[in-house]
C-alpha cells in the first residue's frame, strides 16, 4: 500500500555527539539499543550484505538504520531498491534464479508464497542460538496481528514485521464539531451527530453531508472512495470481516461466498450515492487530492493520506480526525497490510545468512524502528505505540494501533503463488458492481468460482 506517515513531519534523528558515546534521539526518545543488545561487536567486518526492497519510503526507512548497523556490525550493506511497477516480478526472479539478495523487505502475504517455494529461511534457528539472537528481540512486543498473520507461515516464523498498514476512517472533525451541523443533524434525524461506528451510521452521516440530499450541507460530498481498477477492492474488504466473512479460509476456499460477501459488496451500491460522480477514475493520488481539496466529509484510506492532509497548502490541514472504519453487528474489521523482513535462502551466499538475520532483527528492533518513521514507515512494535513522545506527535497512531488489533481480512488474499491473480479477480468483481454490469450477488458468485478455479489449478486443494 502506498503509505507515508504523518510522523514524517515531526521525526528527525538528533545526534548530540559524533563520538562513540553520542546520543541519538527521535521524538525526544534516546535510542539506547543501537548495538543489537550488545550482540554487534564489529564481528562481521569484511562481510558484504546484499539487501533488496522497493523504492521510496521502504528504501528510505532502511537507509536511516543502515549507517548504525554498519558501524556496530562492521559489515558493509549494499541496498538495492527495485521499481514499484516491476517489484513483485523482479523480487521473485531474484529469489528463484538470480540470488543476489541475502535479506529482503517484501509484502507480508507474498513472503508466505516465497516461504512455500523454499525461497526463505526459517528464523527460529537464529533465534534459538543465544550466541546470535539479541536479548532485546522480544517477539511478544510485535503487534500480535502483524506477527501472527505475516510473520508465521504454517506454524514457522519466516519474517519480522517492518511496516504496518490498516485502513482508517478519515473525517473532517471541524464539520462534526460545528454547532450548526450538530443542531441540523439532530433536527433531521433525531440523533446526535457523531463519527459513525456502524455501516448504517456511515450511510446516514454521508447522506447528511452530501449537498444533493441536504441543501444545507457545508460540503459537496459525504464520502469519497477509490473506484479505479487496482484500487477499489478495499471498501469491500473493510466490510467483509465485520459481516463475518473472510477472503479465504484455512483450506483456501472462498470465505466470502455467503451473505457476508454479498452484504460487503452491497456497500458500494449505497455509498456511491454520496461520492463524487467521477470516483471510478480515482486511484490513490486522485482520491487523496479530492479529499484534501476540502469538499468531502469522510474517506476510508491507508494512513499515508495523513501526511498530504496535514501538509502546508492542504485545505483540510488541522481539520482531520481519525477513527477505526465502521463495522456491523458490533464488529469492526479494517483491512490490514504489512511489509516484512525475511532472510533469503540464497544457495550462493549461505555464509551470509546469520548476518542477514541480524540485519532483519536490527531494523525491526524497538529503538531502531523509530529511525524509519520519518520516511513514512510506522511502528510495528506495541511498545512504541505506548511511548507518549511518539503518540503525542502523531494523532493517527492510537487509531492505527486499535485498527491493527481488530483486523480480520488482509489487503491481499493470503494464498501462495496466486496472490496477484486473486487480487485481480477481486478488483474485477468490484468493478463489475460499481460500473453496474452485474448485481452484488452475481459478482460474489462469479468471484468465488474464479477463486476456486485458480487455487485448484495451483494445486493447493488436497
Amino acid at each position: 500500500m502506498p503509505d507515508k506517515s504523518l510522523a514524517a513531519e515531526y521525526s528527525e534523528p538528533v545526534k548530540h555527539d559524533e563520538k562513540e558515546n553520542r546520543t541519538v534521539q527521535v521524538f525526544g526518545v534516546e535510542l539506547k539499543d543501537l548495538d543489537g543488545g550488545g550482540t554487534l561487536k564489529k564481528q562481521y567486518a569484511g562481510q558484504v550484505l546484499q539487501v533488496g526492497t522497493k523504492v521510496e519510503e521502504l528504501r528510505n526507512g532502511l537507509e536511516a538504520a543502515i549507517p548504525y548497523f554498519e558501524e556496530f556490525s562492521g559489515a558493509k550493506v549494499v541496498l538495492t531498491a527495485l521499481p514499484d511497477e516491476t517489484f513483485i516480478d523482479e523480487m521473485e526472479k531474484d529469489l528463484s534464479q538470480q540470488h543476489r539478495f541475502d535479506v529482503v523487505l517484501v509484502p507480508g502475504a507474498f513472503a508466505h508464497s516465497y516461504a512455500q517455494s523454499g525461497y526463505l529461511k526459517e528464523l527460529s534457528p537464529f533465534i534459538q542460538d543465544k550466541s546470535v539472537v539479541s536479548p532485546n528481540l522480544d517477539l511478544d512486543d510485535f503487534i500480535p496481528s502483524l506477527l501472527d498473520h505475516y510473520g508465521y507461515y504454517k506454524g514457522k516464523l519466516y519474517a519480522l514485521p517492518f511496516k504496518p498498514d490498516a485502513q482508517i476512517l478519515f473525517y473532517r472533525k471541524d464539520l462534526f464539531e460545528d454547532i450548526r451541523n450538530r443542531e441540523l443533524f439532530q433536527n433531521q434525524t433525531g440523533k446526535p451527530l457523531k463519527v459513525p461506528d456502524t455501516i448504517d451510521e456511515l450511510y446516514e452521516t454521508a447522506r447528511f453531508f452530501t449537498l444533493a440530499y441536504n441543501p444545507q450541507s457545508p460540503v459537496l460530498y459525504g464520502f469519497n472512495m477509490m473506484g479505479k481498477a487496482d484500487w477499489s477492492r478495499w471498501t469491500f474488504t473493510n466490510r467483509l470481516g465485520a459481516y463475518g466473512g473472510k477472503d479465504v479460509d484455512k483450506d483456501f476456499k472462498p470465505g466470502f461466498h455467503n451473505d457476508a460477501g454479498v452484504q460487503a459488496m452491497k456497500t458500494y451500491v449505497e455509498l456511491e450515492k454520496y461520492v463524487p460522480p467521477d470516483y471510478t477514475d480515482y486511484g490513490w493520488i486522485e482520491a487523496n487530492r479530492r479529499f484534501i481539496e476540502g469538499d468531502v466529509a469522510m474517506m476510508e484510506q491507508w494512513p499515508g493520506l495523513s501526511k498530504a492532509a496535514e501538509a502546508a497548502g492542504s485545505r483540510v490541514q488541522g481539520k482531520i480526525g481519525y477513527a477505526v472504519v465502521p463495522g456491523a453487528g458490533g464488529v469492526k474489521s479494517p483491512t490490514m497490510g504489512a511489509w516484512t523482513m525475511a532472510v533469503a535462502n540464497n544457495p550462493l551466499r549461505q555464509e551470509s545468512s546469520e548476518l542477514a538475520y541480524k540485519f532483519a532483527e536490527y531494523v525491526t528492533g524497538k529503538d531502531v524502528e523509530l529511525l524509519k518513521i520519518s520516511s513514512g514507515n510506522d511502528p510495528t512494535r506495541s511498545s512504541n505505540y505506548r511511548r507518549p513522545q511518539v503518540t503525542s506527535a502523531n494523532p493517527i497512531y492510537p487509531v492505527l494501533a486499535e485498527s491493527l488489533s481488530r483486523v480480520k481480512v488482509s489487503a491481499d488474499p493470503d494464498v501462495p503463488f496466486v496472490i496477484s491473480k486473486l487480487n485481480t479477480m477481486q478488483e474485477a468483481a468490484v468493478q463489475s458492481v460499481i460500473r453496474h454490469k452485474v448485481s452484488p450477488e452475481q459478482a460474489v458468485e462469479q468471484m468465488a468460482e474464479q477463486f476456486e478455479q485458480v487455487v485448484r489449478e495451483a494445486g493447493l486443494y488436497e
Side-chain angles (χ1 to χ4, degrees):
M1 280 50 65
D3 194 359
K4 292 189 178 179
S5 166
L6 177 61
E9 300 298 316
Y10 300 95
S11 171
E12 286 297 332
V14 178
K15 298 180 182 180
H16 294 293
D17 192 340
E18 291 299 327
K19 298 179 181 180
E20 188 173 348
N21 64 348
R22 72 183 182 279
T23 298
V24 180
Q25 292 187 350
V26 181
F27 293 122
V29 176
E30 182 179 348
L31 307 189
K32 299 179 179 180
D33 190 21
L34 293 175
D35 63 350
T39 62
L40 295 178
K41 303 174 182 179
K42 300 186 184 294
Q43 70 269 40
Y44 300 104
Q47 294 192 38
V48 176
L49 183 71
Q50 298 286 344
V51 182
T53 189
K54 197 176 76 167
V55 295
E56 297 180 343
E57 71 264 21
L58 296 163
R59 172 196 60 206
N60 298 340
L62 292 178
E63 286 179 340
I66 284 174
Y68 300 104
F69 183 78
E70 289 182 326
E71 176 183 349
F72 287 97
S73 71
K76 171 66 176 177
V77 176
V78 176
L79 179 63
T80 300
L82 304 175
D84 185 42
E85 298 79 6
T86 59
F87 174 78
I88 294 298
D89 290 340
E90 287 194 53
M91 179 58 69
E92 184 164 353
K93 184 176 181 180
D94 188 89
L95 291 172
S96 63
Q97 301 175 33
Q98 296 177 330
H99 306 304
R100 286 177 295 170
F101 302 138
D102 303 306
V103 61
V104 293
L105 176 53
V106 295
F110 283 85
H112 292 176
S113 292
Y114 302 150
Q116 178 69 32
S117 300
Y119 300 156
L120 304 180
K121 280 186 173 290
E122 186 186 354
L123 301 184
S124 296
F126 303 108
I127 294 172
Q128 292 166 0
D129 188 339
K130 300 302 181 184
S131 68
V132 173
V133 68
S134 168
N136 298 329
L137 171 61
D138 192 6
L139 289 176
D140 291 338
D141 186 55
F142 284 106
I143 295 173
S145 59
L146 294 173
L147 188 66
D148 294 345
H149 192 85
Y150 293 116
Y152 287 95
Y153 180 67
K154 292 187 174 181
K156 297 181 179 180
L157 184 64
Y158 284 96
L160 298 176
F162 180 84
K163 178 181 184 292
D165 268 321
Q167 285 269 298
I168 302 289
L169 177 67
F170 291 74
Y171 66 92
R172 288 281 302 279
K173 64 181 180 181
D174 60 321
L175 302 182
F176 280 81
E177 294 170 355
D178 184 272
I179 187 64
R180 292 167 298 180
N181 293 334
R182 296 172 73 88
E183 290 176 351
L184 185 60
F185 189 86
Q186 181 77 44
N187 292 336
Q188 289 186 4
T189 68
K191 305 172 186 177
L193 177 62
K194 67 182 187 69
V195 179
D197 285 315
T198 70
I199 186 62
D200 289 334
E201 290 175 351
L202 178 63
Y203 295 154
E204 186 174 46
T205 309
R207 184 182 182 90
F208 173 78
F209 282 117
T210 299
L211 195 64
Y213 294 96
N214 175 20
Q216 298 180 72
S217 171
V219 290
L220 290 176
Y221 307 105
F223 198 71
N224 190 28
M225 57 184 172
M226 296 184 287
K228 190 175 183 179
D230 295 333
W231 298 94
S232 61
R233 65 187 183 275
W234 296 307
T235 299
F236 169 74
T237 54
N238 281 344
R239 305 284 92 76
L240 184 58
Y243 283 119
K246 294 174 65 68
D247 45 8
V248 293
D249 64 19
K250 62 181 179 63
D251 298 315
F252 303 134
K253 293 284 187 179
F256 55 83
H257 194 195
N258 45 41
D259 184 65
V262 172
Q263 292 302 317
M265 195 66 77
K266 284 182 176 179
T267 304
Y268 295 94
V269 178
E270 182 66 21
L271 284 178
E272 72 173 3
K273 301 175 184 177
Y274 316 121
V275 302
D278 58 344
Y279 85 100
T280 53
D281 295 328
Y282 290 2
W284 167 257
I285 294 174
E286 297 84 2
N288 290 354
R289 181 185 298 123
R290 192 62 191 253
F291 185 79
I292 66 176
E293 286 174 351
D295 59 1
V296 172
M298 297 177 289
M299 179 176 173
E300 292 175 348
Q301 187 57 289
W302 301 108
L305 170 58
S306 61
K307 186 171 187 288
E310 297 294 349
S314 166
R315 294 180 182 176
V316 297
Q317 185 181 30
K319 301 176 181 179
I320 303 302
Y322 312 97
V324 181
V325 300
V331 178
K332 295 182 179 182
S333 178
T335 306
M336 174 178 67
W339 286 74
T340 58
M341 296 296 310
V343 176
N345 187 15
N346 189 331
L348 304 182
R349 296 177 56 81
Q350 290 292 319
E351 71 282 358
S352 298
S353 295
E354 181 183 301
L355 177 59
Y357 165 76
K358 292 302 293 180
F359 183 80
E361 176 191 78
Y362 189 83
V363 298
T364 59
K366 297 177 188 179
D367 273 6
V368 173
E369 80 159 353
L370 296 183
L371 293 167
K372 71 187 180 184
I373 294 177
S374 64
S375 55
N377 300 277
D378 299 314
T380 60
R381 294 286 193 156
S382 298
S383 58
N384 283 326
Y385 288 93
R386 295 192 296 268
R387 281 176 159 167
Q389 304 98 316
V390 177
T391 56
S392 64
N394 214 324
I396 201 173
Y397 276 1
V399 175
L400 178 57
E402 182 182 355
S403 297
L404 290 168
S405 73
R406 291 175 175 264
V407 294
K408 300 179 185 299
V409 178
S410 172
D412 305 297
D414 195 357
V415 183
F417 314 130
V418 294
I419 295 172
S420 295
K421 289 183 178 180
L422 299 184
N423 280 341
T424 299
M425 290 173 182
Q426 274 192 342
E427 286 290 339
V430 169
Q431 290 293 309
S432 69
V433 171
I434 66 178
R435 297 180 187 278
H436 310 117
K437 295 180 179 179
V438 302
S439 69
E441 291 85 355
Q442 292 171 318
V444 167
E445 181 73 28
Q446 293 171 5
M447 180 166 56
E449 292 176 358
Q450 294 169 349
F451 262 49
E452 289 193 342
Q453 180 179 348
V454 167
V455 175
R456 185 177 295 108
E457 289 175 351
L460 296 173
Y461 288 147
E462 295 183 359

